[in-house]
Amino acid sequence: MVAKAAAGDRRAFEQIYRAYAPTLFSYVLVPMLGDRDDAQDCLRETFLSAYRHLGNFTWQDGGLYPWLKTTANNKAPELVRA
């Protein structure tokens, strides 16, 4: 799925989004940011960044989630500063 999404398959990326977005939103971003609207903005920025950089992803034991979580953790402070 990751390889397909990295090659530009939008349906594959949509499946990745549907698989990981709810968990990132509920368990990472809302608790970190304390605001659902800010968390939604950060989730959008996280997946936009992931879409742009998916070709650089190197598979790890934890799969895609740790990479997405790190991206979200990096995007959250940017959102707060803005």
Side-chain angles (χ1 to χ4, degrees):
M1 194 63 57
V2 173
K4 286 182 178 182
D9 184 330
R10 289 181 182 225
R11 287 187 183 196
F13 191 78
E14 181 180 334
Q15 288 180 325
I16 290 170
Y17 179 86
R18 288 177 189 243
Y20 294 103
T23 302
L24 283 171
F25 181 78
S26 297
Y27 296 105
V28 177
L29 295 172
V30 171
M32 184 187 323
L33 296 170
D35 180 84
R36 295 181 70 79
D37 290 334
D38 287 345
Q40 191 64 44
D41 290 344
C42 190
L43 184 68
R44 181 187 66 243
E45 293 302 317
T46 297
F47 276 92
L48 285 172
S49 179
Y51 185 76
R52 286 187 215 109
H53 298 100
L54 201 53
N56 298 329
F57 173 73
T58 303
W59 195 259
Q60 304 166 7
D61 288 336
L64 190 58
Y65 182 76
W67 184 72
L68 289 169
K69 184 177 176 183
T70 299
T71 302
N73 285 331
N74 291 338
K75 291 293 176 186
E78 293 175 15
L79 177 77
V80 171
R81 281 192 295 267

